[in-house]
Amino acid sequence: MVTLNTQAAIAKRIPEINADPIKGRSLWVDARHRLFRNKAAVISMVILGIILFLAIFADLLSPWSYEQIDEELWGAAAPSLDKFHIFGTDTIGLDLFIRTLYGARISLAVGVIATFVALTIGVFYGATAGFIGGKVDEVMMRIVDILYAMPFIFFVIILMVIFGRNIYLLFVALGAVQWLTMARIVRGQTLTIKGKEFIEAAEAAGVSRGKMIVRHIIPNVIGPVLVYITLTIPAVILEESFLSYLGLGVQAPMTSWGALIAEGKDEMEGAVWMLLFPAGFMAVTLFCFNFIGDGLRDALDPKDR
């Protein structure tokens, strides 16, 4: 005979029917938690946020304009609080603080927009080539190989000669070079997953190739693409700096970190601050992007889960 105490003990062991089910975490939620546990990546995101804030609100942070000359100065002035030249001035009296922040605008804009161009072209191109396969894949990837054989500087100079020097053309030119590597990465990932069961199920359901690429292939290769984006942005910033160093980038009075470094290297002995501040900002930015890329790689790698 079952007593009341026995019934109560059994009832405690039986889960309640209306109890809330245990909720699992998706890959992206888990990756986000792993990313925010990476101290180097989090600190890098904070530093990048500060640099971006300074670049956006540069006009409110300095009484000087990026093209305004302090006519009372003769030659480069060292950093001082006098007249708020906290980064000093260049050889003609332009305030280096506001020009460094304006340089951040151009360099970061070039990095982000050119990477977006590379992302748009490379992801669809690589996913299409890898998914269709066969002769189409061979032809598309041979085109990539041919474009790879063209020197980067030669390609940019051709565009500059044909269309003239234009900051927007610089965005397109840099993006048109970076998409080649993006296409190869996406193609390799597509070849890995196109034989999976969910792709075969979509084919059996009659899903068209275009919808399959957009809905199934691209979302499943986005992890490696995100990691590569964080590596592409600093690469583009370096390339823009190199072009500005050669005189093929942004033109005066507008400036970028590369243009400021090119000006500073000529005055390195007598006015080291002209090289130190723009080079320091660029170096910190590149380090931050690389740390974020490492954090994303670790967060999205299923082997480390």
Side-chain angles (χ1 to χ4, degrees), residues 125-143 187 190-191 194 209:
Y125 192 94
T128 301
F131 182 73
I132 295 177
K135 293 183 178 179
V136 174
D137 180 31
E138 288 290 332
V139 172
M140 293 179 71
M141 296 316 296
R142 293 299 77 76
I143 294 175
R187 173 183 175 269
T190 303
L191 291 175
K194 76 172 187 177
R209 286 185 172 182

Side-chain angles (χ1 to χ4, degrees), residues 60-111:
L60 302 177
L61 300 175
S62 174
W64 298 94
S65 168
Y66 73 95
E67 54 185 353
Q68 182 181 358
I69 298 176
D70 189 344
E71 298 178 353
E72 297 181 4
L73 296 177
W74 295 90
S80 69
L81 296 177
D82 185 28
K83 297 185 178 181
F84 205 79
H85 293 310
I86 58 176
F87 283 5
T89 64
D90 63 8
T91 54
I92 62 174
L94 292 170
D95 182 68
L96 193 59
F97 175 71
I98 189 66
R99 287 181 66 78
T100 299
L101 298 187
Y102 262 81
R105 283 186 183 181
I106 298 299
S107 295
L108 290 175
V110 168

